Amino acid sequence: ARAVAWCERMNEAYPDSDTSRRMQVDLLKANPHVGDVRQALRAWADAREGGARAAVLAELADHLRAEGDQQGSLEVLAEAAEAEPTSEVLLQQLVDRYTAQGDWQSVMVWLERLAFVTEPGPLREERLRRLVEVATDYLDDPAVAARGLRALDKRTEAETRHLAHLYAQSGDVDGLE
């Protein structure tokens, strides 16, 4: 308990230092009766921005998941992705976890973000095609399907026809050009 209190004093004295925060979290994980590791991780995340904030939030999400709080874990993981919106690792985790739950609306949201932050190449093409599949087969969302198809670098004839059909359905004559 005294070691945790010492870490708290160090956190106040040196708010930019991660060392005492790491020590506090590790102590709380090893001695849960001394305090709440969730609060320590949240305070640490709140004291950080960008990638550093995302990393602490991802650790908090993992902790919540290990405790059985799946929904809380997903919410914190989404916060982490908002803190570092180009993190393919975080975005892929969200896609995978929502896919496992069958929450196709959330899959589509996170998959679209993931696809558009992926560098051009085969992986981006694969993710865009998966986005089109989810938008078409699971959700009937022609606007998202069209965005995915339009972003493909190399469309097949069938994909080009599908895109033209989506444009025609929506009345988007500019997209047909």
Side-chain angles (χ1 to χ4, degrees):
R2 285 194 291 188
V4 172
W6 177 86
C7 289
E8 289 172 356
R9 287 193 304 279
M10 290 299 103
N11 293 343
E12 291 171 12
Y14 303 100
D16 292 337
S17 173
D18 289 330
T19 304
S20 58
R21 292 183 187 277
R22 174 83 271 148
M23 287 175 57
Q24 180 185 21
V25 166
D26 291 346
L27 284 167
L28 290 170
K29 284 182 178 179
N31 305 285
H33 62 282
V34 176
D36 188 354
V37 70
R38 293 169 298 182
Q39 288 178 346
L41 284 166
R42 174 56 72 184
W44 188 3
D46 290 346
R48 299 293 175 264
E49 294 179 0
R53 175 177 171 77
V56 176
L57 287 170
E59 182 176 347
L60 176 56
D62 288 344
H63 181 77
L64 291 170
R65 187 176 188 189
E67 286 186 335
D69 183 359
Q70 299 301 319
Q71 188 57 40
S73 173
L74 281 168
E75 290 169 8
V76 172
L77 197 56
E79 271 187 80
E82 295 295 336
E84 191 176 12
T86 60
S87 170
E88 291 184 44
V89 171
L90 293 171
L91 294 169
Q92 186 65 61
Q93 284 181 32
L94 284 160
V95 169
D96 292 346
R97 291 193 49 203
Y98 280 117
T99 298
Q101 290 184 354
D103 180 348
W104 299 109
Q105 185 64 43
S106 296
V107 169
M108 185 177 68
V109 167
W110 295 110
L111 185 56
E112 185 171 16
R113 288 185 184 193
L114 176 60
F116 284 103
V117 300
T118 305
E119 291 293 321
L123 183 57
R124 178 183 169 115
E125 298 287 296
E126 177 185 322
R127 289 173 172 169
L128 288 167
R129 285 186 172 93
R130 177 73 175 134
L131 175 63
V132 172
E133 176 189 345
V134 169
T136 303
D137 297 348
Y138 294 91
L139 293 172
D140 191 30
D141 191 325
V144 172
R147 281 197 301 272
L149 286 166
R150 192 171 41 244
L152 285 169
D153 285 334
K154 299 175 182 170
R155 276 190 299 274
T156 65
E157 283 186 41
E159 289 167 335
T160 301
R161 283 193 305 273
H162 187 193
L163 182 58
H165 175 73
L166 291 171
Y167 281 142
Q169 260 186 324
S170 69
D172 182 358
V173 292
D174 293 331
L176 290 170
E177 297 173 5

